[in-house]
Amino acid sequence: MVIYKRVSDLQSFLTPYKEANKKIGFVPTMGALHEGHLSLLKAAKQECDIVVASVFVNPTQFNNPSDLEKYPRMPQKDADLLEQNGCDVMFLPEVEDIYPAQYQTLHLDLSPVDEVMEGKYRPGHFDGVVNVVSRLFDIVQPNKAYFGRKDFQQVAVIRAMTKKLNLGVEIIACDTVREEGGLAMSSRNLRLNEAQKKEALVIYQSLIQAKKMAQENSPTTTLAYLIDALGQSTLELEYAEVVNPETLLPLTDEWIDGATACVVAYCGDVRLIDNMELI
Ligand code: AMP
């Protein structure tokens, strides 16, 4: 595996692959890699000739400065994991490589997918995601890019951005990888102690129960159950929604294929996000 920090070095390395029409797969991450990230890498390796993974903690997508400060950073361990798992290129830029002085911030209207849920509770978050992902796509020029369904709304926003900007990158969504017991893997889980990891299981358990309830109840009733179950737990629920998977708008009376329950809850000061397809 080769590691590049500079945009020009990465691009010089990739040019011959592009000229030979090789398929470039791209896995953007913020590091502190776990099995969830590695599942994206594995999917990319199966479908592409060469795989680039980036590790960049993007400051513009953090609306909470202390979350940014506390975000785990372990580039050497990440490099080892990427290499052991067959990654070809690690891109490890600095903030000034991604946002040089002449960088022009993009402001896209992707409504409604960027407005609801995370859009409402983390103002500016998706502007940051859109800017970093479009900038990374511009640098890497991948054929396919791999994202986790764990960040369900992020996938919808990136698909909408790719379409709007006509980027010609195929967006592949990969299933959520979970710890034993069901907690969705996340770099932020490193900040949970053992007792909190147990408390956090209620998210997966209540999503599973909601999926069962959805067979015989309306979206509204299923959501009421979910809110109640999480409300009674030791977590602090930020929001729970049952949404249309395309528009991300709430469902009330009628189910549609792919209807998905989305949850965000705090365990201590750690913000946990999860979702499950119900129908
Ligand atoms: P992050 O480093 O948290 O920005 O995540 C980088 C990519 O990995 C995103 O596309 C995430 O959705 C994906 N990802 C994070 N956690 C998981 C997981 N548990 N299962 C599958 N994909 C994940």
Side-chain angles (χ1 to χ4, degrees):
M1 183 178 83
V2 285
I3 303 179
Y4 292 111
K5 293 191 163 208
R6 296 276 163 269
V7 172
S8 54
D9 294 339
L10 173 69
Q11 288 181 325
S12 308
F13 176 84
L14 290 175
T15 300
Y17 291 92
K18 282 185 188 133
E19 285 172 356
N21 266 326
K22 298 288 182 197
K23 265 211 164 76
I24 299 177
F26 181 42
V27 180
T29 82
M30 296 205 297
L33 301 179
H34 51 67
E35 290 294 330
H37 299 110
L38 298 178
S39 74
L40 308 186
L41 181 67
K42 195 170 163 196
K45 275 180 65 67
Q46 274 168 4
E47 297 177 358
C48 302
D49 299 309
I50 182 155
V51 178
V52 180
S54 61
V55 170
F56 177 63
V57 181
N58 174 36
T60 68
Q61 73 187 72
F62 284 81
N63 51 327
N64 176 344
S66 107
D67 191 24
L68 172 61
E69 198 186 306
K70 287 184 194 156
Y71 203 85
R73 290 162 173 89
M74 44 190 80
Q76 187 53 55
K77 191 168 170 227
D78 289 342
D80 293 345
L81 271 175
L82 288 173
E83 175 142 46
Q84 285 155 16
N85 285 275
C87 182
D88 299 297
V89 187
M90 179 186 193
F91 181 43
L92 193 60
E94 301 290 339
V95 173
E96 50 277 18
D97 299 305
I98 297 298
Y99 303 117
Q102 72 277 17
Y103 180 76
Q104 302 248 326
T105 304
L106 270 178
H107 295 287
L108 296 185
D109 177 5
L110 303 175
S111 160
V113 294
D114 63 343
E115 284 181 331
V116 294
M117 299 193 286
E118 297 295 274
K120 192 159 121 200
Y121 285 91
R122 299 184 74 186
H125 169 66
F126 283 131
D127 268 342
V129 169
V130 160
N131 275 275
V132 76
V133 175
S134 62
R135 173 80 176 120
L136 288 167
F137 280 6
D138 191 41
I139 293 168
V140 177
Q141 308 245 325
N143 301 87
K144 295 184 175 205
Y146 295 78
F147 294 88
R149 282 208 185 93
K150 191 200 75 146
D151 299 289
F152 181 72
Q153 187 173 8
Q154 174 168 277
V155 176
V157 166
I158 287 163
R159 283 195 203 283
M161 172 200 85
T162 307
K163 194 166 166 202
K164 187 147 207 159
L165 299 176
N166 211 356
L167 297 180
V169 180
E170 191 180 341
I171 306 301
I172 311 286
C174 300
D175 286 345
T176 302
V177 178
R178 297 177 181 281
E179 314 262 5
E180 219 174 295
L183 177 63
M185 287 194 181
S186 164
S187 308
R188 289 187 175 88
N189 294 356
L190 290 170
R191 291 174 44 215
L192 298 174
N193 62 34
E194 286 310 309
Q196 287 176 317
K197 277 191 176 166
K198 290 208 175 93
E199 289 172 30
L201 293 180
V202 67
I203 298 177
Y204 178 67
Q205 288 161 354
S206 54
L207 284 168
I208 288 280
Q209 190 58 30
K211 191 174 170 77
K212 286 186 190 144
M213 287 197 61
Q215 304 308 312
E216 293 182 3
N217 294 279
S218 69
T220 304
T221 308
T222 305
L223 176 61
Y225 159 77
L226 197 53
I227 291 175
D228 193 48
L230 289 162
Q232 285 184 31
S233 76
T234 53
L235 306 192
E236 194 185 320
L237 179 63
E238 185 165 78
Y239 67 78
E241 302 259 7
V242 173
V243 300
N244 174 318
E246 303 288 326
T247 63
L248 306 191
L249 295 173
L251 295 173
T252 51
D253 301 327
E254 301 282 329
W255 288 106
I256 62 166
D257 269 1
T260 297
C262 300
V263 169
V264 168
Y266 279 88
C267 187
D269 67 348
V270 183
R271 189 176 188 271
L272 300 173
I273 187 165
D274 204 346
N275 68 82
M276 190 171 289
E277 190 175 275
L278 299 181
I279 297 287

